Amino acid sequence: AQSVTQLGSHVSVSEGALVLLRCNYSSSVPPYLFWYVQYPNQGLQLLLKYTSAATLVKGINGFEAEFKKSETSFHLTKPSAHMSDAAEYFCAVSDSSASKIIFGSGTRLSIRP
Amino acid sequence: GAGVSQTPSNKVTEKGKYVELRCDPISGHTALYWYRQSLGQGPEFLIYFQGTGAADDSGLPNDRFFAVRPEGSVSTLKIQRTERGDSAVYLCASSARGGESDTQYFGPGTRLTVL
């Protein structure tokens, strides 16, 4: 069965600093992986998804993630944090039965001025 | 170009009451999903529709929960004899075809509070 683990429930970085949100997955088959963002009082928005076309995936708002099979990781990065990046971020994997997405527990990103 | 919409945005009810939560998917999307998000956690799958039929209802916690999608568009999640533990944000998502690489688009959710 597929699963994801997000390391760190809360990450705080300074404005302009590198953002790194960690995600490790477990899957018996090649996975489809996603990062979603949830701004306060808003719905989930897809940041990016990995579907095996390329290991480095670029998403919206300057975010990108790299699929590393050897490390079973799909970490999310952004070179320079903006105040507007403050939100909850969820890593997720698509279930092989294709019926659902399995989400991690989320990482809350705070940005210090 | 409307996205997924959900009504009501907030619902407060008393323990033991019946509630219905509505989801309007993106027009033309055949797949529809319901998730539940408890405070401080990621969304958890409840049920998946492909067209009018429930293709996977393995996430429904018990028989108090039921969902329908009679015409393959709008869906209603129904909860009978609500309990305080049912309090959560209920999220609906839709995707064009349904499939493990298909992008799911989420609505804003309905926040259910059971007193």
Side-chain angles (χ1 to χ4, degrees):
Chain A
Q2 284 85 354
S3 66
V4 291
T5 302
Q6 292 185 242
L7 302 176
S9 60
H10 183 210
V11 170
S12 180
V13 302
S14 297
E15 190 174 18
L18 171 71
V19 175
L20 171 60
L21 304 183
R22 300 178 186 273
C23 173
N24 288 87
Y25 70 90
S26 172
S27 177
S28 58
V29 297
Y32 292 96
L33 295 160
F34 308 83
W35 275 98
Y36 280 85
V37 61
Q38 188 172 38
Y39 297 103
N41 300 316
Q42 294 188 29
L44 287 161
Q45 181 180 6
L46 181 70
L47 270 179
L48 50 83
K49 69 177 182 180
Y50 167 75
T51 58
S52 76
T55 57
L56 183 62
V57 183
K58 294 189 182 298
I60 61 171
N61 301 337
F63 284 93
E64 62 182 35
E66 185 172 9
F67 173 74
K68 292 187 176 180
K69 184 177 180 180
S70 61
E71 298 177 8
T72 62
S73 69
F74 191 57
H75 301 331
L76 182 71
T77 60
K78 181 174 180 177
S80 177
H82 295 163
M83 296 299 293
S84 60
D85 295 327
E88 188 89 17
Y89 291 80
F90 293 95
C91 182
V93 63
S94 184
D95 182 80
S96 58
S97 69
S99 63
K100 55 184 174 277
I101 289 176
I102 299 165
F103 287 86
S105 55
T107 298
R108 182 164 60 92
L109 176 65
S110 300
I111 312 297
R112 301 187 300 270
Chain B
V4 178
S5 62
Q6 294 185 245
T7 54
S9 55
N10 281 283
K11 177 69 177 179
V12 180
T13 191
E14 293 179 343
K15 180 175 178 295
K17 299 291 187 181
Y18 168 84
V19 297
E20 290 189 350
L21 311 179
R22 176 188 169 106
C23 172
D24 280 87
I26 293 172
S27 178
H29 280 192
T30 62
L32 186 145
Y33 311 78
W34 283 99
Y35 294 81
R36 179 169 69 174
Q37 186 175 18
S38 299
L39 193 63
Q41 297 182 22
E44 294 180 306
F45 170 79
L46 295 176
I47 187 170
Y48 157 57
F49 286 90
Q50 183 57 255
T52 60
D56 182 351
D57 65 357
S58 62
L60 295 178
N62 51 60
D63 61 6
R64 295 187 297 105
F65 288 75
F66 189 71
V68 295
R69 194 186 185 200
E71 298 179 355
S73 179
V74 171
S75 176
T76 304
L77 178 65
K78 308 181 181 192
I79 310 174
Q80 297 178 322
R81 305 183 303 280
T82 52
E83 299 178 355
R84 292 194 179 87
D86 298 336
S87 296
V89 176
Y90 289 81
L91 298 170
C92 178
S94 70
S95 69
R97 300 170 304 279
E100 54 188 338
S101 67
D102 212 17
T103 297
Q104 295 185 23
Y105 297 90
F106 284 79
T110 293
R111 182 176 299 277
L112 175 65
T113 303
V114 182
L115 301 176

